Amino acid sequence: MSWERRQKVAIGIARALKYLHCSCSPSIFVGDLSPRKVIVDGKDEARLRLSLPTMGFTSSKEISEYKGISEKSDIYGFGLLLIELLTGRNPTDAEFGKRESIVDWAQYCYSDAIWRHGLNQ
């Protein structure tokens, strides 16, 4: 995937999250934001696939509390999606070596880049 295409997909996801979190009343949370929840059309426009709320709950607040879904969990998931877009890797890839997850690997790469390039000064 080209960098321009990756950027367009990332911006599309960010805009969708902003709309769901800021423009909808009450706010809508995606929950478990992952590549399987992202649909990219022929024009590289990203859309989010939403699940229907769990039956038996009377409000989105109850559903969010029950499932641990929140704006913060969506933003964390978005961060993981960005790492995947930037690296082209899946969080379960064995290529992370002694790093246990894509997050640990990304933190290692970031801290190594700061140390090598003196960006922490």
Side-chain angles (χ1 to χ4, degrees):
M1 196 186 276
S2 71
W3 286 111
E4 292 80 18
R5 188 171 183 210
R6 292 175 199 218
Q7 180 182 14
K8 191 170 184 178
V9 169
I11 290 171
I13 296 168
R15 286 182 177 151
L17 285 174
K18 180 181 176 186
Y19 175 80
L20 294 172
H21 292 176
C22 300
S23 298
C24 294
S25 181
S27 295
I28 297 173
F29 305 122
V30 178
D32 188 28
L33 186 57
S34 64
R36 65 182 173 80
K37 295 258 182 143
V38 178
I39 302 167
V40 180
D41 66 17
K43 296 180 181 179
D44 295 333
E45 297 289 336
R47 309 276 190 253
L48 294 178
R49 180 186 322 232
L50 301 176
S51 304
L52 292 176
T54 304
M55 299 301 289
F57 292 98
T58 58
S59 73
S60 59
K61 182 180 178 189
E62 284 181 314
I63 294 167
S64 297
E65 289 172 357
Y66 174 73
K67 290 188 168 188
I69 297 170
S70 68
E71 185 174 330
K72 288 180 182 181
S73 64
D74 281 357
I75 300 305
Y76 181 82
F78 179 59
L80 290 177
L81 279 174
L82 288 178
I83 293 171
E84 289 183 59
L85 278 170
L86 291 172
T87 63
R89 294 183 175 187
N90 186 301
T92 58
D93 281 353
E95 296 179 22
F96 297 121
K98 63 182 178 182
R99 308 286 173 241
E100 293 184 18
S101 70
I102 196 169
V103 175
D104 292 339
W105 179 80
Q107 287 174 334
Y108 166 77
C109 291
Y110 177 73
S111 64
D112 187 50
I114 288 175
W115 179 80
R116 273 189 284 135
H117 298 289
L119 300 175
N120 59 346
Q121 297 173 3

